[in-house]
Amino acid sequence: MNFSEDLRQNAPATERNREPILEVLKRVLPATGTVLEVASGTGQHAVFFAPRLSPRRWLPSDPQPLLQQSIKAWQIHSPSDNLYPPLQLNVEANPWPVEGNDLPWELSEFPITAIVAINLIHISPWSACEGLMAGSDRILKLGGILYLYGPYKIAGKHTAPSNASFDEYLRTSNPKWGVRNLDDVVELAKGYNLELVETVPMPANNFSVVFRRC
């Protein structure tokens, strides 16, 4: 068994949601620059999106070393010229690694024009959402895009019984986790110079939520 086969992890949900997410990303992402993906998880989204969103660059990241290994293994299995090696990045940190001057590539030529977070803020404490907004405010220039994907409460209510059950499961696993109220996320974003552009209903009672740096 080679390195790639040994260390690749598999998240079945990525196979189901990647095409609908891609269609939204094609429409809302800036045409050029680097897309920073936070909490990339297994790396399956990164290797799928990168070649399909060229000439944009795709920069995956994750705080967990085991998942960073999985991302690297998927990159070996499905290489792409516009896909960077994964960064170790915790959204609650300040500054983020991409704000430093010792990166192994030249982000000045392909600056970060968008940040993508898929299935992050409900499987993390609220402080992670705050960190995500703060980092997006620091890094994105005027007009930059922050894209979120996942389940949300709308006007404080779950959009499906399955989401209510999922929320209960999350909170049982960790009291700091849970399906967030979209109004709370939007209000938080305003404090970090991020305006809501659109909310797109997605399959399986999820949403794409698009913010623009203002």
Side-chain angles (χ1 to χ4, degrees), residues 15-34:
E15 304 292 327
R16 299 190 295 268
N17 63 31
R18 63 186 189 179
E19 290 284 359
I21 292 175
L22 177 63
E23 291 310 305
V24 178
L25 291 179
K26 284 180 176 179
R27 183 169 57 80
V28 304
L29 289 180
T32 60
T34 296

Side-chain angles (χ1 to χ4, degrees), residues 11 16 22 24 29 37 57 63 81 83 87 91-92 109-111 116 119 136 176-177 185 197 211 213:
R16 299 190 295 268
L22 177 63
V24 178
L29 289 180
E37 182 188 14
R57 271 64 177 170
D81 291 341
L83 180 58
L87 282 179
V91 293
E92 296 185 54
E109 185 178 357
F110 304 105
V116 168
N119 289 328
S136 299
K176 295 183 179 180
W177 296 359
V185 177
V197 176
F211 296 94
R213 178 69 165 78

Side-chain angles (χ1 to χ4, degrees), residues 32-48:
T32 60
T34 296
V35 180
L36 170 62
E37 182 188 14
V38 300
S40 298
T42 64
Q44 289 166 269
H45 277 141
V47 297
F48 180 78

Side-chain angles (χ1 to χ4, degrees), residues 38 56 61 75-76 80 82 95 106 141 145 148 150 157 170 181 187 195 204:
V38 300
R56 305 169 188 89
S61 70
Q75 289 178 322
I76 291 171
S80 181
N82 64 329
E106 190 53 73
K141 304 300 183 185
I145 294 295
L148 308 181
K157 296 181 179 179
L170 289 171
N181 184 17
E187 188 63 28
E195 61 178 359

Side-chain angles (χ1 to χ4, degrees), residues 4 12 18 26 57 59 61 88 91-92 100 110 116-117 122 134 138 152 165 167 177 184 192 202 207 209 214:
S4 178
R18 63 186 189 179
K26 284 180 176 179
R57 271 64 177 170
L59 173 55
S61 70
Q88 182 169 1
V91 293
E92 296 185 54
F110 304 105
V116 168
H122 58 283
R138 294 193 307 268
Y152 293 91
S165 298
D167 186 33
W177 296 359
D184 294 337
Y192 289 101
M202 303 290 281
F207 292 90
V209 184
C214 57

Side-chain angles (χ1 to χ4, degrees), residues 94-167:
N94 181 12
W96 289 0
V98 292
E99 297 177 74
N101 297 317
D102 57 348
L103 297 174
W105 53 85
E106 190 53 73
L107 280 179
S108 60
E109 185 178 357
F110 304 105
I112 294 172
T113 55
I115 296 173
V116 168
I118 299 171
N119 289 328
L120 167 64
I121 66 173
H122 58 283
I123 314 179
S124 59
W126 182 248
S127 54
C129 186
E130 294 173 329
L132 175 64
M133 298 300 179
S136 299
D137 183 24
R138 294 193 307 268
I139 292 166
L140 294 176
K141 304 300 183 185
L142 191 68
I145 294 295
L146 171 64
Y147 170 89
L148 308 181
Y149 171 89
Y152 293 91
K153 298 177 188 175
I154 303 297
K157 296 181 179 179
H158 289 293
T159 60
S162 59
N163 279 13
S165 298
F166 183 45
D167 186 33

